Amino acid sequence: MQIREIVGAIQNIEVIAKGSSVKIRKKLQKLHGRGNWRKMKGIAEVRLSDNSVRLCEILWFEAHGIGKKHIKVKHYL
Amino acid sequence: MMIDHFDGKWLVVCVDNRGNEESLERWKIYQSLPDEEAEKHQEIRVIDEEGEDYLYPADCFSPVFLIDAVAKSLVTQYSTHRNATMSN
C-alpha cells in the first residue's frame, strides 16, 4: 500500500475547496461514502518513499464522520 | 520514432494505484514533470486526476514510449483540455 504516513501533528491547516469545487468529489463519494467533502491543506512531517522524513506541504480530503482521506504531498519544504 | 517525453513532460503509466485510488487509475498514462529533489527520495511529480501535480512514489509508475505523433497529441490535447477545465 502507498498510503502517506504523517509523522506528528499537521500545522497551518486551511480549507482550500469545498462542495462542487472538490474536483474528485464523485470518486471520494464512491470510495468512502457521501458527505460534505472538503479539500484541506497543511504542513506536516511525512515519511517519504525512501523512508526519510521531511517537512512537506500536504493536501488531503475530509468529510464529517469519515475523516481524513487521500493525503498527497505537494512540495517538500 | 518512439519517444517518452515531449515539451518538458515525461510520459508514465500508473502500475500501482493502491492507496491513491482517488487520484490515479491503474494502467492510465499520466504526464510527469521533472523534479530532481523528488527523485532523490524515490518519488515522481505527476499530474493526476485532479489535473494538478503531486508527488507520488516512483515505483507506482513506469516510463512509457509512444509513437511521437501520439505522444505530442496526448501532451498537447491534455494541456488544452486542462486549461479549458481550469478556466471554467
Side-chain angles (χ1 to χ4, degrees):
Chain A
M1 296 287 279
Q2 308 286 352
I3 296 172
R4 291 291 190 183
E5 181 192 348
I6 303 299
V7 181
I10 304 174
Q11 300 172 345
N12 297 6
I13 296 173
E14 39 180 308
V15 180
I16 57 171
K18 55 186 177 180
S20 59
S21 298
V22 178
K23 294 176 196 168
I24 58 170
R25 187 176 78 259
K26 286 180 183 171
K27 203 162 238 183
L28 289 164
Q29 287 177 348
K30 186 180 172 187
L31 287 167
H32 306 295
R34 296 186 73 84
N36 182 21
W37 285 99
R38 299 183 299 171
K39 186 176 181 179
M40 312 290 291
K41 182 168 101 172
I43 292 170
E45 285 194 314
V46 179
R47 190 172 305 282
L48 304 179
S49 303
D50 64 351
N51 236 13
S52 63
V53 174
R54 278 193 66 163
L55 192 65
C56 301
E57 181 185 310
I58 60 169
L59 292 100
W60 70 94
F61 299 88
E62 67 178 41
H64 185 70
I66 298 174
K68 291 183 180 61
K69 297 289 178 187
H70 193 32
I71 296 166
K72 304 202 274 191
V73 174
K74 185 67 177 174
H75 297 292
Y76 307 131
L77 300 174
Chain B
M1 187 176 66
M2 305 286 276
I3 58 174
D4 62 351
H5 67 283
F6 176 71
D7 199 21
K9 292 168 182 155
W10 296 79
L11 302 172
V12 293
V13 61
C14 175
V15 296
D16 182 0
N17 71 341
R18 288 176 296 167
N20 295 306
E21 293 88 346
E22 300 90 340
S23 290
L24 297 172
E25 290 181 25
R26 198 172 181 215
W27 307 128
K28 185 170 177 178
I29 296 172
Y30 291 93
Q31 296 175 51
S32 169
L33 303 174
D35 191 322
E36 289 182 15
E37 192 70 12
E39 287 176 23
K40 291 177 189 168
H41 294 290
Q42 298 169 20
E43 304 203 329
I44 182 173
R45 182 170 293 282
V46 170
I47 300 172
D48 67 15
E49 293 294 319
E50 278 199 278
E52 297 177 26
D53 58 288
Y54 291 98
L55 296 166
Y56 288 100
D59 60 6
C60 291
F61 299 89
S62 174
V64 61
F65 286 78
L66 297 174
I67 295 170
D68 56 355
V70 176
K72 288 172 186 172
S73 176
L74 190 149
V75 171
T76 308
Q77 290 188 23
Y78 182 82
S79 298
T80 306
H81 171 74
R82 186 181 169 198
N83 291 339
T85 305
M86 291 178 82
S87 64
N88 284 339

